[in-house]
Amino acid sequence: MPKVTRKDTSGALQEAVGMAVDDEQLPVKPNFSALSAQEQAGGKMEFRRIPVPQNRMTPLKTAWMQLYTPITDNLKLDMRMNLKTKKVEIKTTPQTTNPDVLQKAADFVHAYILGFEVRDAIALLRLDDLYVECFEVKDVKTLRGEHLSRAIGRLAGKSGKTKFTIENATKTRIVLADTRIHILGSFANIRVARDALCSLILGSPPGKVYSKLRSVCSRLNDS
Protein backbone atom coordinates (compact mmCIF):
# COMPACT_ATOMS: atom_id res chain seq x y z
CA MET A 1 0.00 0.00 0.00
CA PRO A 2 1.58 3.39 -1.02
CA LYS A 3 2.65 5.74 1.77
CA VAL A 4 0.81 9.11 1.99
CA THR A 5 3.06 12.02 2.94
CA ARG A 6 2.09 15.32 4.56
CA LYS A 7 2.60 17.14 1.22
CA ASP A 8 0.04 14.88 -0.50
CA THR A 9 -2.61 15.53 2.17
CA SER A 10 -2.10 19.29 2.01
CA GLY A 11 -2.56 19.21 -1.78
CA ALA A 12 -5.82 17.27 -1.42
CA LEU A 13 -7.07 19.80 1.15
CA GLN A 14 -6.32 22.70 -1.22
CA GLU A 15 -8.25 20.94 -4.02
CA ALA A 16 -11.27 20.40 -1.70
CA VAL A 17 -11.25 24.10 -0.71
CA GLY A 18 -11.11 25.06 -4.39
CA MET A 19 -14.10 22.81 -5.16
CA ALA A 20 -16.11 24.39 -2.30
CA VAL A 21 -15.44 27.84 -3.72
CA ASP A 22 -16.56 26.67 -7.16
CA ASP A 23 -19.82 25.31 -5.68
CA GLU A 24 -20.59 28.67 -4.10
CA GLN A 25 -20.22 30.37 -7.49
CA LEU A 26 -22.84 28.09 -9.16
CA PRO A 27 -25.98 29.85 -10.49
CA VAL A 28 -29.18 29.78 -8.41
CA LYS A 29 -31.49 26.82 -9.11
CA PRO A 30 -34.50 28.03 -11.13
CA ASN A 31 -37.98 27.68 -9.61
CA PHE A 32 -40.68 26.93 -12.20
CA SER A 33 -44.38 27.12 -11.40
CA ALA A 34 -46.52 23.99 -11.92
CA LEU A 35 -48.06 23.49 -15.36
CA SER A 36 -51.83 23.48 -15.65
CA ALA A 37 -53.64 20.43 -17.07
CA GLN A 38 -54.23 22.31 -20.34
CA GLU A 39 -50.52 23.16 -20.71
CA GLN A 40 -49.55 19.54 -20.00
CA ALA A 41 -51.86 18.44 -22.84
CA GLY A 42 -50.05 20.78 -25.25
CA GLY A 43 -52.61 23.58 -24.97
CA LYS A 44 -55.52 21.33 -26.02
CA MET A 45 -58.80 20.90 -24.12
CA GLU A 46 -59.43 17.32 -22.99
CA PHE A 47 -62.98 15.92 -23.10
CA ARG A 48 -64.94 13.07 -21.58
CA ARG A 49 -68.42 12.17 -22.78
CA ILE A 50 -70.69 9.95 -20.68
CA PRO A 51 -73.80 8.54 -22.43
CA VAL A 52 -77.06 8.76 -20.45
CA PRO A 53 -79.78 6.11 -21.03
CA GLN A 54 -83.37 7.30 -21.33
CA ASN A 55 -84.45 5.87 -17.95
CA ARG A 56 -81.77 7.94 -16.12
CA MET A 57 -82.57 11.31 -17.73
CA THR A 58 -85.13 12.38 -15.08
CA PRO A 59 -82.94 11.41 -12.05
CA LEU A 60 -80.03 13.23 -13.72
CA LYS A 61 -82.09 16.43 -14.08
CA THR A 62 -83.19 16.16 -10.44
CA ALA A 63 -79.63 15.77 -9.05
CA TRP A 64 -77.87 17.96 -11.65
CA MET A 65 -76.69 20.65 -9.20
CA GLN A 66 -75.38 18.03 -6.75
CA LEU A 67 -73.20 16.65 -9.57
CA TYR A 68 -72.34 20.02 -11.13
CA THR A 69 -71.14 21.84 -7.98
CA PRO A 70 -68.25 19.54 -6.87
CA ILE A 71 -67.02 19.10 -10.47
CA THR A 72 -66.92 22.83 -11.31
CA ASP A 73 -66.06 24.32 -7.89
CA ASN A 74 -63.63 21.72 -6.49
CA LEU A 75 -62.10 20.15 -9.61
CA LYS A 76 -62.19 23.35 -11.76
CA LEU A 77 -63.73 21.56 -14.75
CA ASP A 78 -66.53 22.54 -17.14
CA MET A 79 -69.61 20.32 -17.40
CA ARG A 80 -72.73 20.44 -19.57
CA MET A 81 -75.56 18.22 -20.78
CA ASN A 82 -75.81 17.76 -24.55
CA LEU A 83 -79.52 17.09 -25.14
CA LYS A 84 -79.03 16.20 -28.83
CA THR A 85 -76.58 13.36 -28.24
CA LYS A 86 -77.90 12.62 -24.68
CA LYS A 87 -74.39 12.72 -23.22
CA VAL A 88 -72.82 14.55 -20.27
CA GLU A 89 -69.72 16.40 -21.51
CA ILE A 90 -66.85 17.31 -19.16
CA LYS A 91 -63.75 19.27 -20.25
CA THR A 92 -60.66 20.83 -18.71
CA THR A 93 -60.25 24.59 -18.23
CA PRO A 94 -57.16 26.85 -17.86
CA GLN A 95 -57.75 26.70 -14.07
CA THR A 96 -57.50 22.87 -13.94
CA THR A 97 -54.22 21.98 -12.20
CA ASN A 98 -54.31 18.17 -12.20
CA PRO A 99 -55.08 16.27 -15.44
CA ASP A 100 -56.19 13.16 -13.47
CA VAL A 101 -59.32 14.87 -12.11
CA LEU A 102 -61.01 14.67 -15.53
CA GLN A 103 -61.22 10.88 -15.37
CA LYS A 104 -62.31 11.03 -11.72
CA ALA A 105 -65.18 13.38 -12.66
CA ALA A 106 -66.22 11.06 -15.51
CA ASP A 107 -66.23 8.06 -13.13
CA PHE A 108 -68.30 10.06 -10.61
CA VAL A 109 -71.00 10.91 -13.17
CA HIS A 110 -70.94 7.40 -14.63
CA ALA A 111 -71.42 5.88 -11.14
CA TYR A 112 -74.51 8.06 -10.59
CA ILE A 113 -75.91 7.07 -14.00
CA LEU A 114 -75.45 3.38 -13.08
CA GLY A 115 -77.71 3.94 -10.06
CA PHE A 116 -75.49 4.82 -7.09
CA GLU A 117 -76.55 7.71 -4.85
CA VAL A 118 -74.64 10.99 -5.09
CA ARG A 119 -73.31 10.71 -1.51
CA ASP A 120 -71.82 7.28 -2.36
CA ALA A 121 -70.54 8.16 -5.84
CA ILE A 122 -68.79 11.35 -4.61
CA ALA A 123 -66.30 9.11 -2.74
CA LEU A 124 -64.74 8.45 -6.19
CA LEU A 125 -63.62 12.11 -6.22
CA ARG A 126 -62.16 12.03 -2.71
CA LEU A 127 -60.40 8.64 -2.66
CA ASP A 128 -57.99 7.10 -5.16
CA ASP A 129 -58.45 3.35 -4.66
CA LEU A 130 -62.19 3.08 -5.38
CA TYR A 131 -63.56 1.31 -8.44
CA VAL A 132 -66.88 0.27 -9.98
CA GLU A 133 -67.29 -3.32 -11.16
CA CYS A 134 -70.25 -4.48 -13.25
CA PHE A 135 -71.44 -7.96 -14.19
CA GLU A 136 -74.67 -9.78 -15.03
CA VAL A 137 -76.41 -12.74 -13.43
CA LYS A 138 -75.99 -14.76 -16.65
CA ASP A 139 -72.18 -14.31 -16.39
CA VAL A 140 -72.32 -16.51 -13.27
CA LYS A 141 -75.07 -18.95 -14.23
CA THR A 142 -77.50 -19.16 -17.14
CA LEU A 143 -80.97 -18.76 -15.62
CA ARG A 144 -84.33 -18.10 -17.26
CA GLY A 145 -87.88 -17.32 -16.18
CA GLU A 146 -88.76 -17.91 -12.54
CA HIS A 147 -85.29 -19.25 -11.74
CA LEU A 148 -83.81 -15.86 -12.71
CA SER A 149 -86.44 -14.01 -10.66
CA ARG A 150 -85.72 -16.15 -7.58
CA ALA A 151 -81.96 -15.57 -7.96
CA ILE A 152 -82.49 -11.76 -8.03
CA GLY A 153 -84.78 -12.14 -5.00
CA ARG A 154 -82.05 -14.05 -3.12
CA LEU A 155 -79.57 -11.24 -3.87
CA ALA A 156 -81.86 -8.54 -2.49
CA GLY A 157 -83.44 -10.49 0.39
CA LYS A 158 -86.59 -9.48 2.24
CA SER A 159 -86.84 -5.64 2.13
CA GLY A 160 -83.24 -5.55 0.85
CA LYS A 161 -81.86 -7.18 4.01
CA THR A 162 -79.34 -9.44 2.26
CA LYS A 163 -77.99 -6.65 0.05
CA PHE A 164 -77.58 -4.28 3.03
CA THR A 165 -75.82 -7.00 5.06
CA ILE A 166 -73.26 -7.62 2.29
CA GLU A 167 -72.78 -3.85 1.84
CA ASN A 168 -72.14 -3.23 5.54
CA ALA A 169 -69.87 -6.26 5.99
CA THR A 170 -67.67 -5.52 2.95
CA LYS A 171 -67.82 -1.67 3.07
CA THR A 172 -69.13 -1.52 -0.49
CA ARG A 173 -72.24 -0.23 -2.25
CA ILE A 174 -74.31 -2.52 -4.49
CA VAL A 175 -76.89 -1.64 -7.15
CA LEU A 176 -79.22 -4.34 -8.51
CA ALA A 177 -80.56 -3.12 -11.85
CA ASP A 178 -82.67 -5.91 -13.34
CA THR A 179 -80.13 -8.66 -14.19
CA ARG A 180 -77.12 -6.31 -13.93
CA ILE A 181 -75.13 -5.88 -10.71
CA HIS A 182 -72.85 -2.90 -9.99
CA ILE A 183 -70.43 -2.83 -7.02
CA LEU A 184 -68.59 0.29 -5.78
CA GLY A 185 -65.64 -0.11 -3.39
CA SER A 186 -61.96 -0.92 -3.04
CA PHE A 187 -60.42 -3.82 -4.99
CA ALA A 188 -60.26 -6.29 -2.08
CA ASN A 189 -63.75 -5.43 -0.80
CA ILE A 190 -65.29 -5.74 -4.28
CA ARG A 191 -63.85 -9.25 -4.58
CA VAL A 192 -65.37 -10.35 -1.25
CA ALA A 193 -68.78 -8.85 -2.13
CA ARG A 194 -68.70 -10.40 -5.61
CA ASP A 195 -67.92 -13.86 -4.20
CA ALA A 196 -70.87 -13.56 -1.77
CA LEU A 197 -73.24 -12.47 -4.56
CA CYS A 198 -72.05 -15.28 -6.86
CA SER A 199 -72.70 -17.84 -4.10
CA LEU A 200 -76.26 -16.54 -3.73
CA ILE A 201 -76.83 -16.72 -7.51
CA LEU A 202 -75.58 -20.32 -7.56
CA GLY A 203 -78.16 -21.22 -4.89
CA SER A 204 -76.35 -21.07 -1.54
CA PRO A 205 -78.65 -20.26 1.41
CA PRO A 206 -78.13 -16.74 2.90
CA GLY A 207 -77.14 -18.15 6.33
CA LYS A 208 -74.18 -20.06 4.84
CA VAL A 209 -73.11 -16.97 2.85
CA TYR A 210 -73.28 -14.77 6.00
CA SER A 211 -71.05 -17.12 8.01
CA LYS A 212 -68.46 -17.30 5.23
CA LEU A 213 -68.65 -13.50 4.83
CA ARG A 214 -68.07 -13.02 8.56
CA SER A 215 -64.87 -15.11 8.56
CA VAL A 216 -63.49 -13.45 5.40
CA CYS A 217 -64.21 -9.93 6.68
CA SER A 218 -62.55 -10.68 10.04
CA ARG A 219 -59.42 -11.80 8.17
CA LEU A 220 -59.51 -8.61 6.07
CA ASN A 221 -59.84 -6.41 9.15
CA ASP A 222 -56.95 -8.20 10.90
CA SER A 223 -54.67 -7.68 7.90
mmCIF file with all atom_site columns, all heavy atoms in Angstrom, residues 197-209:
data_model
loop_
_atom_site.group_PDB
_atom_site.id
_atom_site.type_symbol
_atom_site.label_atom_id
_atom_site.label_alt_id
_atom_site.label_comp_id
_atom_site.label_asym_id
_atom_site.label_entity_id
_atom_site.label_seq_id
_atom_site.pdbx_PDB_ins_code
_atom_site.Cartn_x
_atom_site.Cartn_y
_atom_site.Cartn_z
_atom_site.occupancy
_atom_site.B_iso_or_equiv
_atom_site.pdbx_formal_charge
_atom_site.auth_seq_id
_atom_site.auth_comp_id
_atom_site.auth_asym_id
_atom_site.auth_atom_id
_atom_site.pdbx_PDB_model_num
ATOM 1  N N   . LEU A 1 197 ? -72.114 -12.566 -3.623 1.00 0.00 ? 197 LEU A N   1
ATOM 2  C CA  . LEU A 1 197 ? -73.245 -12.465 -4.562 1.00 0.00 ? 197 LEU A CA  1
ATOM 3  C C   . LEU A 1 197 ? -73.280 -13.672 -5.507 1.00 0.00 ? 197 LEU A C   1
ATOM 4  O O   . LEU A 1 197 ? -74.354 -14.199 -5.808 1.00 0.00 ? 197 LEU A O   1
ATOM 5  C CB  . LEU A 1 197 ? -73.139 -11.172 -5.372 1.00 0.00 ? 197 LEU A CB  1
ATOM 6  C CG  . LEU A 1 197 ? -73.343 -9.865  -4.592 1.00 0.00 ? 197 LEU A CG  1
ATOM 7  C CD1 . LEU A 1 197 ? -72.977 -8.655  -5.442 1.00 0.00 ? 197 LEU A CD1 1
ATOM 8  C CD2 . LEU A 1 197 ? -74.783 -9.739  -4.101 1.00 0.00 ? 197 LEU A CD2 1
ATOM 9  N N   . CYS A 1 198 ? -72.106 -14.113 -5.960 1.00 0.00 ? 198 CYS A N   1
ATOM 10 C CA  . CYS A 1 198 ? -72.054 -15.276 -6.857 1.00 0.00 ? 198 CYS A CA  1
ATOM 11 C C   . CYS A 1 198 ? -72.545 -16.543 -6.149 1.00 0.00 ? 198 CYS A C   1
ATOM 12 O O   . CYS A 1 198 ? -73.232 -17.372 -6.760 1.00 0.00 ? 198 CYS A O   1
ATOM 13 C CB  . CYS A 1 198 ? -70.638 -15.480 -7.379 1.00 0.00 ? 198 CYS A CB  1
ATOM 14 S SG  . CYS A 1 198 ? -70.098 -14.204 -8.528 1.00 0.00 ? 198 CYS A SG  1
ATOM 15 N N   . SER A 1 199 ? -72.214 -16.678 -4.862 1.00 0.00 ? 199 SER A N   1
ATOM 16 C CA  . SER A 1 199 ? -72.695 -17.839 -4.100 1.00 0.00 ? 199 SER A CA  1
ATOM 17 C C   . SER A 1 199 ? -74.218 -17.839 -4.002 1.00 0.00 ? 199 SER A C   1
ATOM 18 O O   . SER A 1 199 ? -74.864 -18.889 -4.124 1.00 0.00 ? 199 SER A O   1
ATOM 19 C CB  . SER A 1 199 ? -72.088 -17.830 -2.691 1.00 0.00 ? 199 SER A CB  1
ATOM 20 O OG  . SER A 1 199 ? -70.693 -17.922 -2.752 1.00 0.00 ? 199 SER A OG  1
ATOM 21 N N   . LEU A 1 200 ? -74.802 -16.647 -3.797 1.00 0.00 ? 200 LEU A N   1
ATOM 22 C CA  . LEU A 1 200 ? -76.264 -16.538 -3.728 1.00 0.00 ? 200 LEU A CA  1
ATOM 23 C C   . LEU A 1 200 ? -76.906 -16.877 -5.071 1.00 0.00 ? 200 LEU A C   1
ATOM 24 O O   . LEU A 1 200 ? -77.953 -17.533 -5.126 1.00 0.00 ? 200 LEU A O   1
ATOM 25 C CB  . LEU A 1 200 ? -76.667 -15.125 -3.291 1.00 0.00 ? 200 LEU A CB  1
ATOM 26 C CG  . LEU A 1 200 ? -76.386 -14.770 -1.828 1.00 0.00 ? 200 LEU A CG  1
ATOM 27 C CD1 . LEU A 1 200 ? -76.534 -13.271 -1.609 1.00 0.00 ? 200 LEU A CD1 1
ATOM 28 C CD2 . LEU A 1 200 ? -77.319 -15.532 -0.899 1.00 0.00 ? 200 LEU A CD2 1
ATOM 29 N N   . ILE A 1 201 ? -76.287 -16.416 -6.173 1.00 0.00 ? 201 ILE A N   1
ATOM 30 C CA  . ILE A 1 201 ? -76.828 -16.717 -7.507 1.00 0.00 ? 201 ILE A CA  1
ATOM 31 C C   . ILE A 1 201 ? -76.801 -18.221 -7.758 1.00 0.00 ? 201 ILE A C   1
ATOM 32 O O   . ILE A 1 201 ? -77.737 -18.795 -8.337 1.00 0.00 ? 201 ILE A O   1
ATOM 33 C CB  . ILE A 1 201 ? -76.027 -15.962 -8.597 1.00 0.00 ? 201 ILE A CB  1
ATOM 34 C CG1 . ILE A 1 201 ? -76.270 -14.459 -8.496 1.00 0.00 ? 201 ILE A CG1 1
ATOM 35 C CG2 . ILE A 1 201 ? -76.401 -16.447 -9.988 1.00 0.00 ? 201 ILE A CG2 1
ATOM 36 C CD1 . ILE A 1 201 ? -75.337 -13.615 -9.338 1.00 0.00 ? 201 ILE A CD1 1
ATOM 37 N N   . LEU A 1 202 ? -75.726 -18.871 -7.316 1.00 0.00 ? 202 LEU A N   1
ATOM 38 C CA  . LEU A 1 202 ? -75.579 -20.317 -7.558 1.00 0.00 ? 202 LEU A CA  1
ATOM 39 C C   . LEU A 1 202 ? -76.489 -21.151 -6.659 1.00 0.00 ? 202 LEU A C   1
ATOM 40 O O   . LEU A 1 202 ? -76.561 -22.373 -6.832 1.00 0.00 ? 202 LEU A O   1
ATOM 41 C CB  . LEU A 1 202 ? -74.119 -20.732 -7.341 1.00 0.00 ? 202 LEU A CB  1
ATOM 42 C CG  . LEU A 1 202 ? -73.130 -20.191 -8.385 1.00 0.00 ? 202 LEU A CG  1
ATOM 43 C CD1 . LEU A 1 202 ? -71.706 -20.449 -7.959 1.00 0.00 ? 202 LEU A CD1 1
ATOM 44 C CD2 . LEU A 1 202 ? -73.397 -20.793 -9.750 1.00 0.00 ? 202 LEU A CD2 1
ATOM 45 N N   . GLY A 1 203 ? -77.160 -20.510 -5.680 1.00 0.00 ? 203 GLY A N   1
ATOM 46 C CA  . GLY A 1 203 ? -78.158 -21.222 -4.891 1.00 0.00 ? 203 GLY A CA  1
ATOM 47 C C   . GLY A 1 203 ? -77.811 -21.444 -3.432 1.00 0.00 ? 203 GLY A C   1
ATOM 48 O O   . GLY A 1 203 ? -78.556 -22.128 -2.732 1.00 0.00 ? 203 GLY A O   1
ATOM 49 N N   . SER A 1 204 ? -76.707 -20.898 -2.949 1.00 0.00 ? 204 SER A N   1
ATOM 50 C CA  . SER A 1 204 ? -76.352 -21.074 -1.536 1.00 0.00 ? 204 SER A CA  1
ATOM 51 C C   . SER A 1 204 ? -77.359 -20.365 -0.645 1.00 0.00 ? 204 SER A C   1
ATOM 52 O O   . SER A 1 204 ? -77.808 -19.264 -0.973 1.00 0.00 ? 204 SER A O   1
ATOM 53 C CB  . SER A 1 204 ? -74.959 -20.507 -1.255 1.00 0.00 ? 204 SER A CB  1
ATOM 54 O OG  . SER A 1 204 ? -73.985 -21.226 -1.956 1.00 0.00 ? 204 SER A OG  1
ATOM 55 N N   . PRO A 1 205 ? -77.725 -20.945 0.494  1.00 0.00 ? 205 PRO A N   1
ATOM 56 C CA  . PRO A 1 205 ? -78.653 -20.259 1.412  1.00 0.00 ? 205 PRO A CA  1
ATOM 57 C C   . PRO A 1 205 ? -77.970 -19.041 2.048  1.00 0.00 ? 205 PRO A C   1
ATOM 58 O O   . PRO A 1 205 ? -76.753 -19.052 2.284  1.00 0.00 ? 205 PRO A O   1
ATOM 59 C CB  . PRO A 1 205 ? -78.981 -21.323 2.460  1.00 0.00 ? 205 PRO A CB  1
ATOM 60 C CG  . PRO A 1 205 ? -77.885 -22.328 2.359  1.00 0.00 ? 205 PRO A CG  1
ATOM 61 C CD  . PRO A 1 205 ? -77.369 -22.287 0.963  1.00 0.00 ? 205 PRO A CD  1
ATOM 62 N N   . PRO A 1 206 ? -78.731 -17.966 2.337  1.00 0.00 ? 206 PRO A N   1
ATOM 63 C CA  . PRO A 1 206 ? -78.132 -16.739 2.896  1.00 0.00 ? 206 PRO A CA  1
ATOM 64 C C   . PRO A 1 206 ? -77.345 -16.974 4.184  1.00 0.00 ? 206 PRO A C   1
ATOM 65 O O   . PRO A 1 206 ? -76.304 -16.365 4.396  1.00 0.00 ? 206 PRO A O   1
ATOM 66 C CB  . PRO A 1 206 ? -79.342 -15.840 3.157  1.00 0.00 ? 206 PRO A CB  1
ATOM 67 C CG  . PRO A 1 206 ? -80.378 -16.311 2.190  1.00 0.00 ? 206 PRO A CG  1
ATOM 68 C CD  . PRO A 1 206 ? -80.159 -17.782 2.049  1.00 0.00 ? 206 PRO A CD  1
ATOM 69 N N   . GLY A 1 207 ? -77.830 -17.887 5.065  1.00 0.00 ? 207 GLY A N   1
ATOM 70 C CA  . GLY A 1 207 ? -77.137 -18.147 6.329  1.00 0.00 ? 207 GLY A CA  1
ATOM 71 C C   . GLY A 1 207 ? -75.705 -18.626 6.111  1.00 0.00 ? 207 GLY A C   1
ATOM 72 O O   . GLY A 1 207 ? -74.770 -18.193 6.806  1.00 0.00 ? 207 GLY A O   1
ATOM 73 N N   . LYS A 1 208 ? -75.515 -19.527 5.143  1.00 0.00 ? 208 LYS A N   1
ATOM 74 C CA  . LYS A 1 208 ? -74.183 -20.056 4.845  1.00 0.00 ? 208 LYS A CA  1
ATOM 75 C C   . LYS A 1 208 ? -73.285 -18.945 4.291  1.00 0.00 ? 208 LYS A C   1
ATOM 76 O O   . LYS A 1 208 ? -72.090 -18.857 4.628  1.00 0.00 ? 208 LYS A O   1
ATOM 77 C CB  . LYS A 1 208 ? -74.309 -21.198 3.835  1.00 0.00 ? 208 LYS A CB  1
ATOM 78 C CG  . LYS A 1 208 ? -73.030 -21.980 3.624  1.00 0.00 ? 208 LYS A CG  1
ATOM 79 C CD  . LYS A 1 208 ? -73.291 -23.169 2.696  1.00 0.00 ? 208 LYS A CD  1
ATOM 80 C CE  . LYS A 1 208 ? -72.018 -23.954 2.470  1.00 0.00 ? 208 LYS A CE  1
ATOM 81 N NZ  . LYS A 1 208 ? -72.245 -25.084 1.546  1.00 0.00 ? 208 LYS A NZ  1
ATOM 82 N N   . VAL A 1 209 ? -73.862 -18.079 3.444  1.00 0.00 ? 209 VAL A N   1
ATOM 83 C CA  . VAL A 1 209 ? -73.107 -16.965 2.855  1.00 0.00 ? 209 VAL A CA  1
ATOM 84 C C   . VAL A 1 209 ? -72.688 -15.980 3.947  1.00 0.00 ? 209 VAL A C   1
ATOM 85 O O   . VAL A 1 209 ? -71.560 -15.476 3.957  1.00 0.00 ? 209 VAL A O   1
ATOM 86 C CB  . VAL A 1 209 ? -73.936 -16.255 1.762  1.00 0.00 ? 209 VAL A CB  1
ATOM 87 C CG1 . VAL A 1 209 ? -73.224 -14.998 1.255  1.00 0.00 ? 209 VAL A CG1 1
ATOM 88 C CG2 . VAL A 1 209 ? -74.208 -17.203 0.600  1.00 0.00 ? 209 VAL A CG2 1
#
